Amino acid sequence: MTHPRSVARRRLIFLGAAALAAPMLAVSRKSRASEGPRTLAFEHAHTGEALSLVYAVGDKYVAAALEQVKHFLRDFRNGATHLIDPALHDQLHVLVTATGTKEPFQVISGYRSPATNPMLQREAHGVATSSLHLQGQAIDIRLADVALADLHGAALSLRAGGVGYYPAPSSNFVHVDTGAVRRW
Ligand SMILES: [Zn+2]
């Protein structure tokens, strides 16, 4: 005998899964069958918003998901948006595996518009290193369940772009970008 409440809960879960799967179908038809959907989860330190999504299936990025990330990683000071490099999504996805995190990425900074970047350059984040935030190619992150030094080491091990280390107490984040492989 099944309790009515658990039935209702199952139905909710099913509907949630169906809603998630529907926009992916057109994409997954073209994708390599051997590769499943790739997910990412974020929490934004400044806006308080959370985002969890399937951003790619096989070798295809999900356009609607990239739009969601574009909005989520907007310049929170003025609402300006910029397409976020799809390769940055993949770097973050590999970092999930590399660190073993079960938590969302805490985002300190994503896209940075020309209007706010000069102001930020006067703060802790270096002038030269902040430019890729203007191109949607960089993100500043930390993980609640991974030591910052370990996240830093994992990011360096990718050898996939720039990696900056900004430890606590002054900052407490790792900068990751899709530019040339370099570190600071
Ligand atoms: Zn940065």
Side-chain angles (χ1 to χ4, degrees), residues 109 112 125 129-130 133 138-140 166 173-176 184:
S109 183
R112 217 173 275 162
H125 203 283
T129 60
S130 59
H133 284 278
I139 191 168
D140 298 337
Y166 298 86
F173 64 81
V174 173
H175 164 111
V176 176
W184 61 92

Side-chain angles (χ1 to χ4, degrees), residues 52-123:
S52 179
L53 44 67
V54 173
Y55 76 93
V57 181
D59 58 359
K60 300 291 179 191
Y61 294 105
V62 180
L66 297 191
E67 280 298 313
Q68 281 183 277
V69 174
K70 173 182 172 179
H71 174 75
F72 183 83
L73 295 182
R74 68 191 179 279
D75 187 328
F76 61 89
R77 290 172 179 83
N78 60 14
T81 60
H82 191 291
L83 181 69
I84 305 301
D85 188 351
L88 190 61
H89 298 65
D90 287 321
Q91 282 178 227
L92 293 174
H93 186 256
V94 175
L95 277 179
V96 171
T97 307
T99 60
T101 182
K102 302 292 181 220
E103 296 290 328
F105 284 105
Q106 296 179 4
V107 177
I108 291 82
S109 183
Y111 171 59
R112 217 173 275 162
S113 66
T116 64
N117 200 53
M119 178 183 79
L120 290 167
Q121 285 175 348
R122 290 192 291 271
E123 297 171 9

